[in-house]
Amino acid sequence: MMSIRCYLAPSEIEGLGVFAAVPVRKGEEIWRYHPDFDLSYPIDRVADAPEHIREFMERYTYVNPFDPTKVILDADEARFMNHSNDPNVDFSSDVCGRAARDIAADEELTCDYACFTIGEIVFQAPRHRTASAIVAANGMPHPVL
């Protein structure tokens, strides 16, 4: 679960991303595994699920480092953290993610998916469409909110 205040917003990386709502100092904890909050499912339940549920689970889960027969689904904004080859969150610990450097408020939080992916990292097509992306795709002026 996220250990800092954060929010979701359109990402330049892909679809939605999770952003720091407050400044974060290098080394500060950003995320911590919490078994009552980060839900764990047997891998075979994902494979047996209806297609739309399986697609969701394949996108937002990762192998449980404590039990490789299960996957974890983060119940909060953490599942929207996008990949970067130069991440600002270090997930080399199995139980927490820490700021790899100072992170400014309103900066997107990113991680290296290789830290918790077994095998090849597979990027899926975008799942979320933001209002600005829909407006741009349809050639309409951006609405004033």
Side-chain angles (χ1 to χ4, degrees):
M1 70 186 282
M2 297 302 294
S3 304
I4 63 164
R5 195 168 292 279
C6 58
Y7 63 92
L8 297 178
S11 167
E12 291 185 16
I13 298 171
E14 193 273 316
L16 291 173
V18 59
F19 291 76
V22 295
V24 183
R25 298 189 68 90
K26 180 180 180 176
E28 187 176 337
E29 183 178 292
I30 291 178
W31 176 92
R32 175 170 290 278
Y33 174 74
H34 192 291
D36 293 332
F37 196 75
D38 300 309
L39 311 173
S40 190
Y41 296 92
I43 287 176
D44 59 350
R45 276 186 58 197
V46 174
D48 294 340
E51 182 179 3
H52 70 287
I53 300 296
R54 190 176 65 251
E55 288 173 358
F56 177 87
M57 297 295 279
E58 287 172 351
R59 172 177 289 273
Y60 293 116
T61 64
Y62 51 93
V63 175
N64 184 329
F66 308 108
D67 182 354
T69 67
K70 296 183 178 181
V71 292
I72 295 173
L73 174 64
D74 291 321
D76 62 2
E77 298 90 349
R79 72 174 176 249
F80 293 98
M81 197 173 298
N82 285 314
H83 171 80
S84 173
N85 291 326
D86 184 24
N88 56 14
V89 181
D90 176 11
F91 276 96
S92 58
S93 164
D94 288 340
V95 296
C96 73
R98 296 191 176 278
R101 58 170 173 75
D102 287 347
I103 300 171
D106 301 318
E107 183 176 344
E108 183 169 5
L109 301 172
T110 59
C111 60
D112 181 354
Y113 288 177
C115 287
F116 41 84
T117 301
I118 295 174
E120 180 183 358
I121 298 172
V122 177
F123 294 99
Q124 299 177 4
R127 180 178 173 90
H128 303 283
R129 297 189 319 160
T130 60
S132 58
I134 294 168
V135 167
N138 293 319
M140 301 178 336
H142 194 281
V144 177
L145 302 177

